[in-house]
Amino acid sequence: MSRPLSDHDRRKQISVRGLAGVENVSDLKTNFNRHLHFTLVKDRNVATKRDYYFALANTVRDHLVGRWIRTQQHYYEKDPKRVYYLSLEFYMGRTLQNTMVNLAMENACDEATYQLGLDMEELEEMEEDAGLGNGGLGRLAACFLDSMATLGLAAYGYGIRYEFGIFNQKIVNGWQVEEADDWLRYGNPWEKARPEYMRPVHFYGRTEHHPDGVKWVDTQVVLALPYDTPVPGYRNNVVNTMRLWSAKAPCEFNLKDFNIGGYIQAVLDRNLAENISRVLYPNDNFFEGKELRLKQEYFVVAATLQDIIRRFKASKFGSREIVRTDFSKLPEKVAIQLNDTHPAMAIPELMRVLVDEEKLQWEKAWDICVRTCAYTNHTVLPEALERWPVPLLQHLLPRHLEIIFEINRRHLERVASLYPGDVDRLRRMSLVEEGGQKRVNMAHLCIVGSHAVNGVARIHSDILKATVFKDFYEMDPHKFQNKTNGITPRRWLVMCNPGLAEVIAEVRGSTFLTYSPLGSNDVNDLLDYQTGKCTDSKIQSIENKLKIHEYKRQLLNCLHIITYYNRIKKEPNKQWTPRTIMIGGKAAPGYHTAKMIIRLITAIGEVVNNDPVVGDRLKVIFLENYRVTLAEKAVPAADLSEQISTAGTEASGTGNMKFMLNGALTIGTMDGANVEMAEEAGERNLFIFGMRVEDVEAMDKKGYNASEYYNRIPELKQAMDQIAGGFFSPKQPDLFKDIVDMLMHHDRFKVFADYEDYIKCQEKVNALYKNPKEWTKKVIHNIAGSGKFSSDRTIAQYAREIWGVEPSLEKIPAPDDPQ
């Protein structure tokens, strides 16, 4: 009997990864050895694995550079409308394998490294994750860059080159411990510094009003140094750019102190300027109003807008001459997408540039600004909405505060004319919130200053219109849209699950790798194929979120684990469906409840995993340091995906889409994109439970009483008593008293209200899992229904409905093709 193929062997056979057009293996070997030599390794016997990784990365990068230059030349020749995607986060993960997949050279590289006596997978493991994001928002931005290049859009991602990304997580004695993520320690072969495009960014100072306009003077200058990373499309020779800014102190920074003996201190103080790009704020769905964070937000916006306007004025390749001076054409040539409110200062900054520097009349400038900018909202949680204190804005960006006040004055005039006498509406819709400390509501600024406002799943967009932004929707319904999120099938299928990619390619051909949902005939063909993929003896249940937050309701998952554990203990001789439950996520360092949830998960694991009565029937694993690279391994391994947020709290989710595409069934509430997933795959092919949005609203009116459920449901009472009584923490019986107190007395996310239905739904999961044939049918319906959730579909909709550009699957000539 032949041994089953390993993933490594299977990868080398997969047609979908592209045997056609692969690069010459001997050329790759020659280039690899040349790069190894140029890293000052004279003798291959002393080369380290990292040396080999850099040699391979630089060899692959060589194939990017020619395409990169030609793509940019192509844009300057054609002068298309350019899309600028502004995001404070880009959670890229690793680049090497993704680049090889998109350039169709993975097989050739695999063969070349094999012939050189090296293992390509081992070299790939040497790459550091570019963890410049907290979770969903940053990973979405990364998927969007991939899709924008694949659809041939002239698009640019703009963000910050954080020296330290999302922290590395260690679990020590069950507790989360944070370590700095020094991802640039060994260098980054994928970026290119572009000092010739360095730009000044101003802070502090004061404003002077003159007859000929306003001047912002006595400012402190920080330089923004751009680093460019190539972003290849899928096999179309398009290579776009992600430009990340790094903060540098100017040479004269504080050196006026030099003559009074403060020279050393003045040089050391340069760090204060350079701190702007030092570290990513590790908060997801929580607003932290710190001066450094506001500096980061303005820094990326100010540098980016200078770049946008420079490129708008000079559209010839390699030319810095001004060829375009009429700013009325800006919205025809530029689209700026604000990824959440973090880059909201782009609106007052664009107004400052147009009015103060380019001397346009306010009305003309405002029309240009609104037609150019668009805003994506990512959350309905009130604690996540940015509201900057007016005194902080006055101190850091005095001119911008004046501009915001003027935007607000004109906006409220319009509201008053449309709704005369409605003072409460004026208060609700103002950009400036009164009461206590005055604050600027950045979401309101984004809505007023944009021509399009979108949520990221249909149910989320409906909630925005009905509740959070109801007044704005009533006034300007034409602005509001929905753009359901998506994921790139290149990384989240071809790269991380080659076996499944090959199965789909046999049925469908490789065209499914650019957006094109499977049809009903394809579903039947897949059903006939009967992969038998899901007949493992264990069901693996992964709570797949990158961030631990109460609204994700990992506590509901914990209560199910405890309930299942108690049932096994009660009837140890019964036939139980074995479960391996994996939960991963990071808690923001200052988020006490989230850290306690991690401690509870690890404590439950310690008890469950060491109970001989339970044995292998139940295991709990906490996935330490969950990140993109770990997700790429965990997602294809999962059979069940837990998407159990309270209805109305998850904007969309994209982890749910990754699991669906890779054949995991979803147990979930009707929240976020789960609603549309149920439509695409058929609700009968998901395990849906719990309250709907209207049930949650009704409960909010009536009042949620946790004790009522605790007293009525014996298994829930038993589980809570075990947590409260120290069953999972015998050395510290009251360790989890804060969690118990929160669940019993002030649980905004109503965990107990969905407990009973969740447990019943998990029983259905167990029953179906015993019937592999029926389980596999549901799996195939899910895979077949996942086509809608390609980020190519999402980006095509943004392009046509917001940016006013047409996507294209056309290939541009490769560097070695005649132009």
Side-chain angles (χ1 to χ4, degrees):
M1 187 175 163
S2 61
R3 67 179 180 84
L5 289 176
S6 69
D7 273 354
H8 182 70
D9 293 334
R10 193 187 291 117
R11 280 167 43 149
K12 295 180 76 167
Q13 295 183 2
I14 285 178
S15 60
V16 78
R17 289 170 174 268
L19 288 167
V22 293
E23 313 295 342
N24 184 293
V25 172
S26 70
D27 282 354
L28 285 172
K29 284 160 65 181
T30 302
N31 288 341
F32 178 92
N33 283 322
R34 179 172 57 84
H35 278 296
L36 195 62
H37 179 75
F38 284 130
T39 55
L40 306 181
V41 178
K42 299 287 182 263
D43 178 0
R44 275 198 59 186
N45 294 324
V46 299
T48 66
K49 209 178 282 184
R50 183 162 279 106
D51 293 326
Y52 290 135
Y53 159 70
F54 272 96
L56 178 58
N58 284 315
T59 303
V60 171
R61 188 173 178 268
D62 289 346
H63 290 267
L64 272 176
V65 172
R67 291 171 170 86
W68 198 8
I69 292 168
R70 179 164 274 197
T71 301
Q72 302 312 311
Q73 279 176 329
H74 178 75
Y75 293 157
Y76 276 91
E77 286 159 10
K78 303 280 184 195
D79 194 26
K81 184 173 184 178
R82 288 169 164 84
V83 174
Y84 296 96
Y85 195 81
L86 273 61
S87 180
L88 267 282
E89 300 181 19
F90 285 98
Y91 204 167
M92 304 300 286
R94 290 174 176 168
T95 296
L96 174 59
Q97 192 187 350
N98 188 68
T99 302
M100 293 188 294
V101 165
N102 278 13
L103 295 188
M105 54 187 295
E106 195 175 19
N107 289 311
C109 287
D110 212 350
E111 185 58 34
T113 50
Y114 177 76
Q115 289 181 21
L116 290 163
L118 301 167
D119 183 317
M120 193 165 81
E121 286 191 10
E122 282 186 11
L123 303 189
E124 287 167 356
E125 286 297 317
M126 297 307 297
E127 184 173 359
E128 300 280 347
D129 270 48
L132 308 187
N134 282 294
L137 177 131
R139 186 52 233 169
L140 183 79
C143 284
F144 279 6
L145 291 185
D146 181 277
S147 286
M148 287 189 274
T150 297
L151 295 178
L153 301 179
Y156 304 76
Y158 275 93
I160 294 180
R161 180 182 178 265
Y162 300 105
E163 198 177 317
F164 296 92
I166 183 67
F167 60 86
N168 287 319
Q169 179 195 55
K170 289 266 190 297
I171 301 297
V172 179
N173 298 323
W175 294 94
Q176 170 177 297
V177 176
E178 300 90 22
E179 290 182 353
D181 165 44
D182 195 2
W183 73 289
L184 292 169
R185 181 188 309 146
Y186 302 107
N188 174 8
W190 304 106
E191 67 181 11
K192 171 83 174 74
R194 303 299 299 273
E196 66 273 27
Y197 292 117
M198 193 140 65
R199 293 285 172 261
V201 176
H202 298 259
F203 294 101
Y204 308 111
R206 59 191 173 82
T207 58
E208 290 179 351
H209 292 252
H210 301 276
D212 61 338
V214 182
K215 289 190 170 63
W216 183 18
V217 297
D218 298 339
T219 57
Q220 188 184 101
V221 174
V222 176
L223 297 176
L225 170 64
Y227 284 80
D228 287 357
T229 299
V231 180
Y234 183 67
R235 302 187 184 178
N236 61 354
N237 298 320
V238 170
V239 180
N240 283 343
T241 302
M242 175 177 70
R243 177 163 283 184
L244 302 181
W245 301 101
S246 182
K248 297 287 167 205
C251 290
E252 69 275 12
F253 185 82
N254 275 356
L255 293 193
K256 57 182 180 292
D257 295 341
F258 168 52
N259 295 326
I260 52 170
Y263 166 68
I264 295 293
Q265 191 56 47
V267 173
L268 296 180
D269 282 350
R270 292 168 60 87
N271 276 337
L272 298 174
E274 295 175 3
N275 279 341
I276 290 173
S277 58
R278 194 81 69 205
V279 64
L280 167 78
Y281 268 82
N283 279 319
D284 194 40
N285 279 302
F286 186 80
F287 168 59
E288 187 164 17
K290 297 275 170 68
E291 183 174 335
L292 176 60
R293 176 64 169 180
L294 182 55
K295 269 188 171 174
Q296 288 181 339
E297 294 184 355
Y298 178 66
F299 173 75
V300 68
V301 153
T304 300
L305 276 170
Q306 290 179 68
D307 230 23
I308 290 172
I309 287 165
R310 171 190 60 77
R311 206 176 277 121
F312 168 74
K313 286 180 171 180
S315 65
K316 290 180 187 168
F317 189 70
S319 162
R320 298 201 188 179
E321 294 168 25
I322 291 180
V323 296
R324 192 186 278 122
T325 54
D326 180 2
F327 276 93
S328 64
K329 298 279 190 289
L330 189 76
E332 293 167 30
K333 288 296 177 186
V334 170
I336 295 173
Q337 189 70 36
L338 308 176
N339 191 26
D340 217 337
T341 54
H342 312 138
M345 291 305 295
I347 291 165
E349 172 65 4
L350 181 53
M351 286 300 289
R352 186 190 69 79
V353 171
L354 295 177
V355 173
D356 294 359
E357 295 182 5
E358 302 294 340
K359 305 300 181 187
L360 270 67
Q361 290 298 309
W362 180 280
E363 291 79 5
K364 180 78 179 160
W366 183 244
D367 176 63
I368 290 166
C369 178
V370 171
R371 286 166 53 213
T372 303
C373 296
Y375 159 56
T376 301
N377 172 278
H378 283 275
T379 182
V380 296
L381 297 178
E383 66 267 29
L385 295 174
E386 291 191 298
R387 295 173 168 91
W388 288 106
V390 165
L392 175 58
L393 280 163
Q394 174 71 57
H395 175 58
L396 191 68
L397 300 166
R399 178 58 183 141
H400 297 77
L401 184 62
E402 291 178 355
I403 290 169
I404 289 167
F405 281 163
E406 180 61 14
I407 293 170
N408 194 40
R409 186 185 69 78
R410 291 167 181 256
H411 160 62
L412 291 181
E413 268 183 10
R414 181 171 171 242
V415 176
S417 70
L418 290 169
Y419 305 95
D422 194 341
V423 179
D424 200 49
R425 185 182 290 263
L426 284 173
R427 179 190 58 74
R428 294 195 308 265
M429 294 185 75
S430 176
L431 274 53
V432 182
E433 296 179 352
E434 309 283 347
Q437 189 182 39
K438 275 190 178 182
R439 293 174 178 272
V440 175
N441 184 315
M442 303 310 275
H444 290 186
L445 174 62
C446 286
I447 296 168
V448 172
S450 297
H451 69 278
V453 177
N454 72 281
V456 289
R458 195 177 63 230
I459 187 175
H460 170 231
S461 297
D462 289 344
I463 288 169
L464 293 181
K465 293 190 289 191
T467 59
V468 194
F469 302 141
K470 181 173 187 278
D471 295 321
F472 292 92
Y473 173 64
E474 285 176 0
M475 188 166 84
D476 290 312
H478 63 277
K479 282 192 180 186
F480 286 79
Q481 303 192 10
N482 173 58
K483 297 286 169 279
T484 298
N485 282 345
I487 56 171
T488 167
R490 274 74 65 182
R491 185 178 291 265
W492 294 109
L493 181 65
V494 180
M495 216 177 100
C496 72
N497 201 344
L500 179 58
E502 180 64 6
V503 168
I504 298 172
E506 282 185 30
V507 171
R508 181 64 189 267
S510 61
T511 54
F512 75 94
L513 286 171
T514 47
Y515 172 60
S516 125
L518 277 70
S520 56
N521 289 343
D522 299 320
V523 177
N524 293 330
D525 289 344
L526 274 172
L527 285 166
D528 292 343
Y529 198 97
Q530 284 298 315
T531 62
K533 172 183 177 291
C534 297
T535 54
D536 295 334
S537 62
K538 284 188 179 178
I539 180 162
Q540 297 177 320
S541 162
I542 295 190
E543 210 323 89
N544 60 295
K545 299 303 176 190
L546 283 170
K547 299 295 291 182
I548 296 278
H549 188 292
E550 290 159 87
Y551 92 85
K552 307 285 192 187
R553 296 205 297 190
Q554 287 96 343
L555 289 171
L556 188 54
N557 206 343
C558 288
L559 291 173
H560 168 246
I561 297 168
I562 296 168
T563 303
Y564 203 55
Y565 169 78
N566 289 335
R567 287 181 177 184
I568 294 170
K569 291 283 282 185
K570 192 175 174 186
E571 297 182 82
N573 297 322
K574 195 174 161 184
Q575 285 294 101
W576 297 99
T577 303
R579 291 252 186 165
T580 301
I581 297 175
M582 294 194 268
I583 303 179
K586 293 177 179 178
Y591 192 171
H592 171 73
T593 304
K595 286 192 158 182
M596 289 310 303
I597 291 170
I598 290 176
R599 184 63 191 97
L600 177 61
I601 294 162
T602 58
I604 293 169
E606 285 160 19
V607 170
V608 168
N609 298 343
N610 293 303
D611 192 322
V613 174
V614 173
D616 284 341
R617 290 178 287 191
L618 181 60
K619 292 289 177 198
V620 180
I621 296 164
F622 187 83
L623 296 169
E624 185 178 80
N625 203 30
Y626 197 70
R627 59 202 186 281
V628 176
T629 299
L630 185 50
E632 287 165 5
K633 296 180 174 71
V635 167
D639 291 318
L640 189 69
S641 159
E642 302 257 355
Q643 307 296 331
I644 59 179
S645 52
T646 317
T649 59
E650 175 71 272
S652 164
T654 53
N656 46 3
M657 302 168 186
K658 290 160 195 165
F659 285 107
M660 182 190 197
L661 174 60
N662 281 276
L665 299 188
T666 299
I667 180 167
T669 51
M670 276 298 199
D671 196 25
N674 293 357
V675 177
E676 289 159 83
M677 284 164 49
E679 279 176 15
E680 295 297 309
E683 196 173 323
R684 68 189 179 282
N685 294 310
L686 281 76
F687 298 99
I688 297 294
F689 73 93
M691 297 180 288
R692 306 298 207 258
V693 169
E694 51 274 21
D695 302 323
V696 175
E697 286 169 357
M699 185 170 283
D700 282 334
K701 286 197 182 104
K702 186 186 89 173
Y704 165 66
N705 181 0
S707 301
E708 181 191 315
Y709 298 94
Y710 171 82
N711 291 321
R712 182 171 60 75
I713 308 167
E715 286 187 309
L716 173 60
K717 183 177 189 301
Q718 181 188 4
M720 287 302 298
D721 290 349
Q722 286 170 309
I723 296 170
F727 182 83
F728 298 104
S729 53
K731 290 180 183 165
Q732 291 173 272
D734 61 351
L735 179 61
F736 300 116
K737 71 175 189 314
D738 288 353
I739 284 185
V740 172
D741 182 57
M742 185 274 291
L743 285 171
M744 293 298 296
H745 303 297
H746 37 90
D747 173 17
R748 288 191 294 154
F749 303 106
K750 306 173 180 62
V751 168
F752 292 0
D754 275 343
Y755 168 84
E756 207 166 16
D757 204 18
Y758 179 54
I759 298 297
K760 283 180 186 158
C761 200
Q762 290 281 15
E763 288 166 6
K764 290 180 193 164
V765 172
N766 288 341
L768 186 72
Y769 198 74
K770 289 174 179 169
N771 184 340
K773 194 173 177 192
E774 288 307 307
W775 181 278
T776 302
K777 269 190 193 170
K778 286 190 190 296
V779 165
I780 288 166
H781 277 286
N782 272 270
I783 294 167
S786 65
K788 173 181 176 176
F789 305 105
S790 164
S791 49
D792 293 355
R793 185 266 317 149
T794 313
I795 287 299
Q797 289 180 339
Y798 272 99
R800 293 183 176 120
E801 296 163 26
I802 295 180
W803 304 329
V805 290
E806 188 58 32
S808 164
L809 292 176
E810 221 177 295
K811 272 177 122 167
I812 66 171
D816 44 359
D817 293 345
Q819 289 227 40

